[in-house]
Amino acid sequence: MRRNRDDWTEMALRALAEGGLPAVAIEPLAARAGATKGSVYHHFPNRDALLRATVERWEREHTERVIELVESERTPRDKLRTLFAMVLDTTRKGSVEMALQAAAQNEVIAPVLQRVTEKRIGYLTELFVRLGFGEAQARKRALIAFSLYLGQAQMWLSLPGLVEPVLDEAVQVLTAR
């Protein structure tokens, strides 16, 4: 079976979610796919290029597309609730997010993670402004919301079964005046 760039970045995303940054290595990925290393190298000159394409795909799928989908909701409160529901559900299924957070110092991952975090916090700030909060208060609530998301994601990984989703409560607290 011939694989394309998307196939390899999909496999790399799965490997990242399952085994963290060390799992994104050309030889094991190729072996897992029943392919040769040359099949990967046909699309990527080295591991860093594969990793860069993988995290950029994650950025598109887990930030840009999520925001596009959330924007179809009518009210800012509905947008916030849908956003939390989508990202928390995705995180429970396998955490690329936590793997990337753990590898935040990596020279390939760091700039993408920084860009994604700024975009997410910026979008959350915008939602809170639309809910009637001033810019400074909206930014604080955005930071709290993002922190809540990261905390929930980490707890689902490290303490499965202990953490219950707090979606409605989170939205209620975050939007209360």
Side-chain angles (χ1 to χ4, degrees):
M1 176 180 172
R2 209 168 250 273
R3 289 178 177 74
N4 60 33
R5 284 178 61 87
D6 284 345
D7 294 330
W8 289 115
T9 57
E10 175 64 29
M11 285 184 265
L13 278 172
R14 271 188 267 132
L16 192 58
E18 294 167 6
L21 186 58
V24 182
I26 289 176
E27 202 165 321
L29 282 176
R32 186 175 183 176
T36 65
K37 292 185 296 184
S39 175
V40 183
Y41 286 120
H42 176 74
H43 300 286
F44 305 98
N46 55 42
R47 177 183 185 255
D48 280 354
L50 170 62
L51 185 58
R52 186 170 291 104
T54 300
V55 295
E56 288 171 353
R57 177 183 179 150
W58 167 79
E59 177 180 17
R60 285 188 309 275
E61 292 178 357
H62 295 270
T63 299
E64 294 166 11
R65 282 194 194 140
V66 168
I67 290 171
E68 287 172 15
L69 290 170
V70 167
E71 278 299 304
S72 67
E73 294 292 339
R74 291 185 49 217
T75 69
R77 187 180 180 90
D78 290 342
K79 291 176 195 298
L80 189 61
R81 188 185 188 296
T82 298
L83 177 63
F84 265 91
M86 288 176 72
V87 297
L88 290 174
D89 186 54
T90 299
T91 301
R92 277 187 287 187
K93 293 176 184 168
S95 190
V96 171
E97 178 83 40
M98 290 297 101
L100 293 174
Q101 292 290 336
Q105 301 306 312
N106 177 280
E107 64 186 22
V108 173
I109 292 171
V112 177
L113 193 57
Q114 179 73 32
R115 186 170 61 238
V116 164
T117 300
E118 288 172 7
K119 183 168 190 142
R120 289 173 174 182
I121 291 171
Y123 181 68
L124 284 164
T125 300
E126 182 183 316
L127 287 180
F128 286 112
V129 167
R130 289 189 216 164
L131 283 163
F133 293 97
E135 187 70 35
Q137 187 63 32
R139 174 123 175 116
K140 287 178 186 176
R141 290 191 185 236
L143 290 169
I144 292 167
F146 191 67
S147 298
L148 175 66
Y149 157 65
L150 290 177
Q152 284 275 281
Q154 180 60 47
M155 290 176 74
W156 270 323
L157 289 175
S158 59
L159 304 165
L162 180 64
V163 178
E164 292 181 29
V166 291
L167 178 61
D168 291 322
E169 294 85 352
V171 172
Q172 184 177 2
V173 168
L174 288 166
T175 58
R177 298 207 175 253

